[in-house]
Amino acid sequence: MFKNVLISGVGSLIGYSVLSMLKKSRYKPKVIVGTDYFNNHLGLYEVDKAELLPDILKKNVTQKIWLQKLIKIINKYNVQLLIPALDFELKLYSKYKDFIEKKTGCYVLISSMGIIDIFSNKRKTIDFLKNNNLPHPKIFSVDEIKKKFFNNSKLIIKPTIGSTSEGVSIVNNIDELREKIKKVKNPVIQEYIKGKEFTCGCFYLNNKILSISCMSRFLKNGNTEFAKLENNTKIINFLKKFEKFQG
Protein backbone atom coordinates (compact mmCIF):
# COMPACT_ATOMS: atom_id res chain seq x y z
CA MET A 1 0.00 0.00 0.00
CA PHE A 2 1.24 3.50 -0.85
CA LYS A 3 1.13 5.76 2.20
CA ASN A 4 1.73 9.06 0.41
CA VAL A 5 0.16 9.66 -3.01
CA LEU A 6 0.36 12.65 -5.36
CA ILE A 7 -2.40 13.48 -7.84
CA SER A 8 -1.13 15.78 -10.57
CA GLY A 9 -3.92 17.94 -11.99
CA VAL A 10 -6.11 17.38 -8.94
CA GLY A 11 -8.37 20.26 -9.98
CA SER A 12 -9.35 18.61 -13.27
CA LEU A 13 -12.44 16.43 -13.62
CA ILE A 14 -10.32 13.27 -13.75
CA GLY A 15 -8.04 14.42 -10.94
CA TYR A 16 -10.94 15.28 -8.67
CA SER A 17 -12.57 11.92 -9.41
CA VAL A 18 -9.32 10.12 -8.50
CA LEU A 19 -9.19 12.12 -5.27
CA SER A 20 -12.78 11.18 -4.39
CA MET A 21 -12.12 7.48 -5.04
CA LEU A 22 -8.92 7.46 -2.98
CA LYS A 23 -10.71 9.03 -0.03
CA LYS A 24 -13.37 6.32 -0.14
CA SER A 25 -10.97 3.45 -0.77
CA ARG A 26 -10.10 0.93 1.91
CA TYR A 27 -6.51 1.59 0.83
CA LYS A 28 -6.83 5.32 1.53
CA PRO A 29 -3.36 6.89 1.65
CA LYS A 30 -2.09 8.50 4.81
CA VAL A 31 -1.29 11.71 2.93
CA ILE A 32 -2.79 12.83 -0.40
CA VAL A 33 -0.80 15.56 -2.14
CA GLY A 34 -2.40 17.53 -4.97
CA THR A 35 -0.70 19.66 -7.61
CA ASP A 36 -2.16 21.96 -10.23
CA TYR A 37 -1.37 25.19 -12.07
CA PHE A 38 -4.00 27.56 -10.65
CA ASN A 39 -4.83 28.06 -6.97
CA ASN A 40 -8.59 28.40 -7.50
CA HIS A 41 -9.20 24.74 -8.32
CA LEU A 42 -11.42 22.97 -5.79
CA GLY A 43 -9.28 19.84 -5.62
CA LEU A 44 -6.38 21.77 -4.09
CA TYR A 45 -8.55 22.59 -1.07
CA GLU A 46 -9.59 19.00 -0.42
CA VAL A 47 -6.17 17.31 -0.34
CA ASP A 48 -3.92 17.05 2.69
CA LYS A 49 -1.11 19.00 1.02
CA ALA A 50 -1.44 21.30 -2.00
CA GLU A 51 1.26 22.65 -4.29
CA LEU A 52 1.38 24.66 -7.53
CA LEU A 53 3.57 23.58 -10.43
CA PRO A 54 5.13 26.08 -12.87
CA ASP A 55 2.78 26.48 -15.84
CA ILE A 56 4.49 24.29 -18.42
CA LEU A 57 2.30 25.75 -21.19
CA LYS A 58 3.95 29.17 -20.79
CA LYS A 59 6.87 29.94 -23.09
CA ASN A 60 9.18 30.99 -20.26
CA VAL A 61 8.67 27.74 -18.32
CA THR A 62 11.04 25.02 -19.50
CA GLN A 63 10.68 21.31 -18.86
CA LYS A 64 13.74 21.57 -16.60
CA ILE A 65 12.05 24.19 -14.39
CA TRP A 66 8.86 22.11 -14.24
CA LEU A 67 10.74 18.92 -13.44
CA GLN A 68 12.89 20.47 -10.71
CA LYS A 69 9.80 21.78 -8.91
CA LEU A 70 8.06 18.41 -9.21
CA ILE A 71 11.07 16.57 -7.75
CA LYS A 72 11.13 18.98 -4.78
CA ILE A 73 7.44 18.36 -4.08
CA ILE A 74 7.83 14.58 -4.26
CA ASN A 75 10.81 14.61 -1.89
CA LYS A 76 9.19 17.14 0.45
CA TYR A 77 6.22 14.86 1.14
CA ASN A 78 7.98 11.51 0.59
CA VAL A 79 5.51 10.66 -2.19
CA GLN A 80 5.51 6.98 -3.13
CA LEU A 81 2.95 6.99 -5.97
CA LEU A 82 2.24 9.71 -8.56
CA ILE A 83 -1.01 9.66 -10.57
CA PRO A 84 -1.17 12.07 -13.55
CA ALA A 85 -4.64 13.37 -14.43
CA LEU A 86 -4.12 16.01 -17.13
CA ASP A 87 -3.94 15.13 -20.83
CA PHE A 88 -1.14 17.56 -21.65
CA GLU A 89 1.04 16.17 -18.83
CA LEU A 90 0.96 12.54 -19.95
CA LYS A 91 3.84 12.70 -22.41
CA LEU A 92 5.92 14.68 -19.90
CA TYR A 93 5.45 12.08 -17.18
CA SER A 94 6.16 9.27 -19.59
CA LYS A 95 9.30 11.00 -20.85
CA TYR A 96 10.66 11.58 -17.34
CA LYS A 97 9.24 8.50 -15.61
CA ASP A 98 12.60 6.73 -15.23
CA PHE A 99 14.33 9.94 -14.13
CA ILE A 100 11.68 10.74 -11.51
CA GLU A 101 11.68 7.20 -10.13
CA LYS A 102 15.48 7.11 -9.96
CA LYS A 103 15.73 10.50 -8.22
CA THR A 104 12.89 10.01 -5.74
CA GLY A 105 11.89 6.35 -5.49
CA CYS A 106 8.34 7.43 -6.35
CA TYR A 107 6.46 5.16 -8.77
CA VAL A 108 4.88 7.08 -11.68
CA LEU A 109 1.66 5.48 -12.88
CA ILE A 110 1.96 6.16 -16.59
CA SER A 111 2.06 4.27 -19.89
CA SER A 112 5.06 4.22 -22.20
CA MET A 113 5.60 7.04 -24.68
CA GLY A 114 4.82 4.65 -27.53
CA ILE A 115 1.42 3.73 -26.13
CA ILE A 116 0.52 7.37 -25.40
CA ASP A 117 1.62 8.45 -28.87
CA ILE A 118 -0.61 5.84 -30.54
CA PHE A 119 -3.74 6.25 -28.47
CA SER A 120 -3.73 10.04 -28.24
CA ASN A 121 -3.93 10.14 -32.03
CA LYS A 122 -7.15 8.83 -33.57
CA ARG A 123 -5.59 8.04 -36.93
CA LYS A 124 -2.71 6.12 -35.33
CA THR A 125 -5.18 4.29 -33.08
CA ILE A 126 -7.18 3.07 -36.06
CA ASP A 127 -3.99 2.08 -37.91
CA PHE A 128 -2.88 0.12 -34.82
CA LEU A 129 -6.20 -1.73 -34.61
CA LYS A 130 -6.22 -2.41 -38.34
CA ASN A 131 -2.62 -3.69 -38.43
CA ASN A 132 -3.34 -6.07 -35.55
CA ASN A 133 -6.59 -7.42 -37.04
CA LEU A 134 -8.74 -5.84 -34.33
CA PRO A 135 -12.20 -4.31 -34.90
CA HIS A 136 -12.09 -0.62 -35.83
CA PRO A 137 -14.27 2.05 -37.47
CA LYS A 138 -13.70 2.71 -41.15
CA ILE A 139 -12.03 6.00 -42.03
CA PHE A 140 -12.27 7.90 -45.30
CA SER A 141 -10.38 10.60 -47.12
CA VAL A 142 -12.23 13.66 -48.40
CA ASP A 143 -11.83 12.43 -51.99
CA GLU A 144 -13.33 9.03 -51.11
CA ILE A 145 -16.33 10.71 -49.48
CA LYS A 146 -16.98 12.89 -52.51
CA LYS A 147 -17.13 9.79 -54.70
CA LYS A 148 -18.97 7.39 -52.38
CA PHE A 149 -21.04 9.50 -49.98
CA PHE A 150 -24.77 8.81 -49.91
CA ASN A 151 -27.34 11.18 -48.41
CA ASN A 152 -28.78 8.49 -46.16
CA SER A 153 -25.40 7.79 -44.56
CA LYS A 154 -23.99 9.41 -41.44
CA LEU A 155 -20.35 10.15 -40.77
CA ILE A 156 -18.35 11.49 -37.84
CA ILE A 157 -15.81 14.29 -38.26
CA LYS A 158 -13.33 14.87 -35.44
CA PRO A 159 -9.84 16.26 -34.91
CA THR A 160 -6.99 13.75 -35.17
CA ILE A 161 -5.85 14.85 -31.70
CA GLY A 162 -8.41 16.21 -29.25
CA SER A 163 -10.59 15.59 -26.21
CA THR A 164 -13.94 16.46 -24.57
CA SER A 165 -15.73 16.07 -27.94
CA GLU A 166 -14.38 19.43 -29.10
CA GLY A 167 -14.67 19.74 -32.86
CA VAL A 168 -16.73 16.54 -33.19
CA SER A 169 -19.70 16.61 -35.56
CA ILE A 170 -22.16 14.18 -37.11
CA VAL A 171 -22.80 14.93 -40.79
CA ASN A 172 -25.73 13.62 -42.82
CA ASN A 173 -24.85 14.73 -46.34
CA ILE A 174 -22.09 16.14 -48.52
CA ASP A 175 -23.13 19.76 -47.93
CA GLU A 176 -22.82 19.36 -44.15
CA LEU A 177 -19.48 17.67 -44.67
CA ARG A 178 -18.12 20.61 -46.68
CA GLU A 179 -19.29 23.06 -44.00
CA LYS A 180 -18.02 21.19 -40.95
CA ILE A 181 -14.68 20.03 -42.32
CA LYS A 182 -13.51 23.63 -42.76
CA LYS A 183 -13.71 24.12 -39.00
CA VAL A 184 -11.65 21.09 -37.97
CA LYS A 185 -7.86 21.09 -38.03
CA ASN A 186 -6.39 17.85 -39.43
CA PRO A 187 -9.74 16.03 -39.41
CA VAL A 188 -10.50 12.32 -39.29
CA ILE A 189 -13.66 11.20 -41.10
CA GLN A 190 -15.13 8.00 -39.66
CA GLU A 191 -18.17 5.86 -40.26
CA TYR A 192 -20.99 6.51 -37.81
CA ILE A 193 -21.60 3.54 -35.51
CA LYS A 194 -24.91 3.59 -33.68
CA GLY A 195 -25.20 2.09 -30.22
CA LYS A 196 -24.34 2.47 -26.55
CA GLU A 197 -21.01 4.11 -25.78
CA PHE A 198 -18.57 2.46 -23.41
CA THR A 199 -15.44 3.76 -21.75
CA CYS A 200 -12.94 1.19 -20.52
CA GLY A 201 -9.68 1.13 -18.62
CA CYS A 202 -6.95 -1.43 -18.07
CA PHE A 203 -4.56 -1.39 -15.13
CA TYR A 204 -1.31 -2.76 -16.50
CA LEU A 205 1.78 -3.56 -14.44
CA ASN A 206 4.86 -5.74 -14.99
CA ASN A 207 3.75 -6.80 -18.49
CA LYS A 208 0.36 -8.00 -17.28
CA ILE A 209 -3.18 -6.59 -17.19
CA LEU A 210 -4.23 -6.76 -13.53
CA SER A 211 -7.75 -5.41 -13.85
CA ILE A 212 -10.23 -4.13 -16.42
CA SER A 213 -13.13 -1.74 -15.86
CA CYS A 214 -15.96 -1.43 -18.37
CA MET A 215 -18.54 1.35 -18.08
CA SER A 216 -21.39 2.63 -20.18
CA ARG A 217 -21.28 6.39 -20.12
CA PHE A 218 -23.39 9.46 -20.74
CA LEU A 219 -21.81 12.70 -21.91
CA LYS A 220 -22.48 16.36 -21.19
CA ASN A 221 -20.44 19.03 -22.99
CA GLY A 222 -17.99 16.36 -24.07
CA ASN A 223 -17.27 15.08 -20.56
CA THR A 224 -18.60 12.01 -18.79
CA GLU A 225 -21.56 13.12 -16.67
CA PHE A 226 -22.53 9.64 -15.51
CA ALA A 227 -20.91 6.23 -15.89
CA LYS A 228 -22.25 2.82 -14.92
CA LEU A 229 -20.05 -0.22 -14.32
CA GLU A 230 -21.05 -3.13 -16.53
CA ASN A 231 -19.81 -6.70 -16.63
CA ASN A 232 -19.75 -6.88 -20.41
CA THR A 233 -17.80 -10.08 -21.03
CA LYS A 234 -17.59 -9.48 -24.78
CA ILE A 235 -15.79 -6.15 -24.32
CA ILE A 236 -13.65 -7.39 -21.42
CA ASN A 237 -12.46 -10.41 -23.41
CA PHE A 238 -11.66 -8.10 -26.32
CA LEU A 239 -9.57 -5.83 -24.06
CA LYS A 240 -7.57 -8.78 -22.78
CA LYS A 241 -6.11 -9.12 -26.27
CA PHE A 242 -4.24 -5.83 -25.74
CA GLU A 243 -1.95 -7.36 -23.12
CA LYS A 244 0.48 -8.66 -25.75
CA PHE A 245 0.65 -5.25 -27.44
CA GLN A 246 1.75 -3.28 -24.37
CA GLY A 247 5.14 -1.61 -24.53
Side-chain angles (χ1 to χ4, degrees):
M1 184 179 73
F2 299 101
K3 292 183 179 180
N4 298 349
V5 175
L6 187 154
I7 304 170
S8 182
V10 71
S12 66
L13 287 173
I14 294 175
Y16 193 77
S17 297
V18 172
L19 173 61
S20 299
M21 287 188 290
L22 282 179
K23 284 184 171 182
K24 297 175 182 178
S25 170
R26 58 177 174 169
Y27 302 111
K28 180 183 176 182
K30 183 178 180 181
V31 176
I32 300 177
V33 182
T35 61
D36 219 302
Y37 297 91
F38 303 98
N39 60 11
N40 59 348
H41 286 166
L42 178 61
L44 289 173
Y45 296 91
E46 297 196 12
V47 293
D48 300 305
K49 303 292 181 181
E51 297 277 353
L52 291 179
L53 285 170
D55 191 346
I56 191 64
L57 298 181
K58 290 185 177 180
K59 292 182 179 180
N60 64 330
V61 177
T62 64
Q63 292 185 11
K64 182 178 180 180
I65 292 172
W66 177 86
L67 187 61
Q68 287 176 340
K69 177 65 174 180
L70 176 67
I71 295 293
K72 287 182 180 179
I73 293 171
I74 293 173
N75 287 331
K76 180 179 179 180
Y77 298 109
N78 189 27
V79 174
Q80 298 163 324
L81 173 66
L82 190 155
I83 305 174
L86 288 170
D87 285 348
F88 68 83
E89 287 184 331
L90 298 183
K91 288 188 176 181
L92 276 173
Y93 280 115
S94 186
K95 179 180 179 179
Y96 292 110
K97 172 181 169 67
D98 291 341
F99 180 82
I100 294 169
E101 292 179 350
K102 184 177 180 180
K103 285 287 185 181
T104 67
C106 172
Y107 183 77
V108 182
L109 189 64
I110 192 73
S111 297
S112 69
M113 186 67 80
I115 293 296
I116 294 172
D117 183 60
I118 291 172
F119 292 104
S120 62
N121 183 303
K122 297 175 182 66
R123 197 174 294 277
K124 288 183 179 180
T125 298
I126 292 172
D127 287 343
F128 170 87
L129 296 172
K130 184 178 180 179
N131 292 337
N132 288 285
N133 298 314
L134 296 168
H136 58 278
K138 295 177 183 176
I139 60 172
F140 308 94
S141 69
V142 176
D143 289 337
E144 286 175 325
I145 295 300
K146 288 179 179 178
K147 294 177 181 178
K148 301 178 182 179
F149 196 91
F150 298 97
N151 285 338
N152 61 349
S153 299
K154 288 185 177 182
L155 295 172
I156 297 282
I157 298 178
K158 58 181 71 173
T160 298
I161 298 175
S163 60
T164 64
S165 297
E166 187 175 348
V168 177
S169 298
I170 298 175
V171 297
N172 298 283
N173 54 60
I174 194 69
D175 292 328
E176 289 184 9
L177 174 68
R178 290 193 183 104
E179 178 188 350
K180 297 292 185 181
I181 206 167
K182 295 176 183 176
K183 302 176 182 179
V184 181
K185 183 179 179 181
N186 193 15
V188 172
I189 306 172
Q190 293 181 353
E191 65 174 321
Y192 175 78
I193 300 175
K194 187 176 180 180
K196 185 187 293 186
E197 180 172 342
F198 290 86
T199 182
C200 305
C202 300
F203 182 62
Y204 178 82
L205 187 65
N206 296 328
N207 300 316
K208 187 176 181 180
I209 294 178
L210 301 182
S211 65
I212 296 173
S213 63
C214 177
M215 295 175 284
S216 56
R217 69 170 181 167
F218 304 88
L219 300 178
K220 182 178 181 181
N221 299 324
N223 290 303
T224 302
E225 182 180 34
F226 174 78
K228 179 184 177 183
L229 277 171
E230 297 202 17
N231 185 27
N232 190 309
T233 55
K234 186 176 181 179
I235 294 178
I236 291 173
N237 288 333
F238 168 72
L239 291 172
K240 288 178 180 178
K241 297 178 182 179
F242 281 79
E243 186 170 84
K244 63 180 179 179
F245 301 120
Q246 293 286 334

